[in-house]
């Protein structure tokens, strides 16, 4: 049987005292509203139960000052629907790493979450000492969600279709499932519902793209506090005046690229007015760089290279965290294995 929630006392601001009556003012008969009903005294309008706000008090105009408007005492503040020092339940569940906020809202709507023994409600706030319980049905539903690793080709966008280009998710079907996938799962169209990219890979880039139904995976990869590494192989040319300007060098770029600019790629650049986190940048061969980033701003590597006189002619993502692209063929996909984690 669910226990009653603890009582919470709300202190209301007392009304200002009524000024004493002027003994010189003539007595005036009480004003009655039209009709048979009598006016209800102000004191009876103040209901004892919370959180209804008491009616505001007012004083009548003083004699000899007919043009003065009645003075209203300030009304006490509205009683909050939830403790002001609490945290929204969906945010608390996400912070605990149990799910995303969207998943938390689904769990709460399905009645799978309780707080201090009582079924939780949407928008509920909880204090730091609240006892939160999740029914096994939520874990079962979460276990059915899939995470898919796709080798995205050039020409597909990561998210919604745009400018006539298809979304990469259209490549996820039974025909493009990698035959060497070791996962015991079998493809079902239901796995496409809510399948969304956890991180972008622009239309001109290829490589590892993560598509997931699992909010925990999305939060780990693209959450505000995420520091998961992403590794890229980047082919460049030296173009200090732009790719169509004079002085373009396509071969042995490493020999003409200034060392101080390589240092700036590693740390010292800003995009959109924000300094970038330190990056790992090294030469793999005279025309190819290896980037390791822990953030993912829009077209970040291309813009970083442009800032130091390089132009990107090829970009491939080969690793996210501890999960590598490996031998997955371009245009095909596989499931994230039970033992794999980013």
């Amino acid at each position: 049987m669910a226990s009653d929630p603890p009582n919470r006392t709300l202190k209301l601001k007392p009304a200002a005292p009524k000024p004493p009556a002027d003994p010189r003012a003539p007595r005036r008969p009480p004003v009655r509203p039209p009709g048979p009903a009598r006016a209800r005294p102000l004191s009876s309008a103040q209901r004892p139960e919370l959180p209804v706000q008491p009616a505001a008090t007012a004083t009548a105009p003083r004699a000899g000052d007919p043009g003065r408007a009645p003075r209203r005492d300030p009304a006490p503040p509205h009683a909050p629907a939830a403790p002001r020092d609490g945290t929204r339940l969906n945010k608390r569940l996400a912070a605990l790493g149990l799910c995303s906020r969207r998943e938390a809202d689904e769990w709460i709507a399905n009645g799978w979450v309780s707080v201090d023994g009582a079924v939780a409600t949407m928008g509920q706030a909880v204090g730091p000492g609240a006892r939160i319980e999740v029914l096994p049905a939520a874990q079962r539903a979460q276990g059915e969600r899939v995470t898919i690793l796709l080798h995205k080709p050039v020409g597909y966008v990561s998210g919604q279709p745009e400018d006539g280009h298809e979304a990469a998710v259209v490549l996820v079907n039974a025909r493009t499932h990698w035959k060497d996938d070791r996962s015991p799962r079998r493809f079902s169209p239901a796995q496409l519902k809510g399948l969304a990219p956890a991180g972008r890979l622009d239309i001109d880039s290829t490589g590892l793209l993560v598509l997931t139904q699992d909010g925990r995976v999305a939060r780990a990869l693209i959450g505000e506090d995420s520091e998961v590494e992403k590794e890229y192989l980047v082919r460049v040319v030296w173009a200090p005046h732009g790719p169509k300007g004079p002085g373009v060098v396509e071969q042995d770029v490493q020999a003409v690229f200034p060392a101080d600019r390589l240092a700036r790629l590693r740390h010292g650049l800003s995009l959109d007015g924000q300094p970038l986190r330190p990056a790992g940048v090294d030469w793999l061969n005279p025309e190819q760089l290896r980037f390791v980033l822990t953030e993912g701003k829009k077209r970040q590597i291309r813009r970083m290279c442009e800032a130091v006189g390089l132009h990107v002619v090829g970009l491939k993502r080969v690793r996210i965290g501890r999960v590598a692209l490996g031998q997955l063929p371009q245009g095909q996909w596989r499931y994230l294995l039970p033992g794999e984690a980013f």
Side-chain angles (χ1 to χ4, degrees), residues 291-311:
F291 277 73
V292 178
L293 306 180
T294 57
E295 58 188 337
K297 296 184 180 295
K298 187 174 182 179
R299 299 180 71 86
Q300 178 173 338
I301 291 178
R302 297 177 187 275
R303 295 164 68 192
M304 290 173 68
C305 288
E306 289 172 2
V308 295
L310 295 173
H311 176 68

Side-chain angles (χ1 to χ4, degrees), residues 16-162:
K18 188 174 182 179
D22 188 348
R24 296 172 296 177
R27 293 179 175 271
R28 300 178 63 181
V31 179
R32 300 181 184 275
R38 293 175 58 107
R40 188 172 52 165
L42 179 64
S43 60
S44 66
Q46 296 183 346
R47 300 179 62 183
E49 59 268 22
L50 299 178
V52 178
Q53 179 183 352
T57 58
T59 56
R62 292 191 302 179
D65 191 7
R68 182 179 180 182
R71 180 177 63 84
R72 290 187 177 273
D73 293 329
H78 289 285
R84 291 188 179 276
D85 58 347
T87 303
R88 288 179 70 91
L89 180 56
N90 61 355
K91 184 176 181 181
R92 174 68 62 80
L93 289 169
L96 292 172
L98 299 176
C99 57
S100 67
R101 293 192 192 185
R102 179 180 298 179
E103 283 179 312
D105 286 337
E106 293 177 4
W107 290 4
I108 296 168
N110 287 329
W112 294 341
V113 183
S114 64
V115 177
D116 294 329
V119 176
T121 58
M122 294 293 292
Q124 181 174 348
V126 294
R131 188 179 78 257
I132 301 172
E133 296 177 310
V134 178
L135 293 180
Q139 277 91 16
R140 287 195 296 270
Q142 194 173 59
E144 296 173 358
R145 299 179 184 270
V146 299
T147 296
I148 285 173
L149 311 177
L150 170 69
H151 188 162
K152 187 188 87 67
V154 170
Y156 291 85
V157 294
S158 300
Q160 296 297 319
E162 57 183 60

Side-chain angles (χ1 to χ4, degrees), residues 227-306:
E227 295 186 355
V228 175
E229 290 184 347
K230 289 91 174 177
E231 182 179 347
Y232 304 82
L233 305 183
V234 186
R235 187 168 295 276
V236 295
V237 299
W238 172 242
H241 304 288
K244 297 183 179 181
V248 174
V249 176
E250 298 180 354
Q251 302 294 324
D252 201 5
V253 180
Q254 182 179 3
V256 298
F257 186 63
D260 62 323
R261 299 199 182 193
L262 180 63
R264 287 188 63 202
L265 280 175
R266 291 170 175 161
H267 194 206
L269 294 177
S270 297
L271 292 180
D272 304 323
Q274 297 293 327
L276 297 176
R277 296 178 186 176
V281 186
D282 296 286
W283 288 101
L284 285 179
N285 58 56
E287 292 84 35
Q288 194 173 44
L289 288 163
R290 171 181 173 268
F291 277 73
V292 178
L293 306 180
T294 57
E295 58 188 337
K297 296 184 180 295
K298 187 174 182 179
R299 299 180 71 86
Q300 178 173 338
I301 291 178
R302 297 177 187 275
R303 295 164 68 192
M304 290 173 68
C305 288
E306 289 172 2

Side-chain angles (χ1 to χ4, degrees), residues 191-210:
Q191 295 168 357
L192 298 175
K193 183 179 180 182
L195 193 65
R200 61 171 60 93
L201 193 60
D202 65 63
I203 191 171
D204 299 320
S205 302
T206 184
L208 181 58
L209 179 66
V210 176

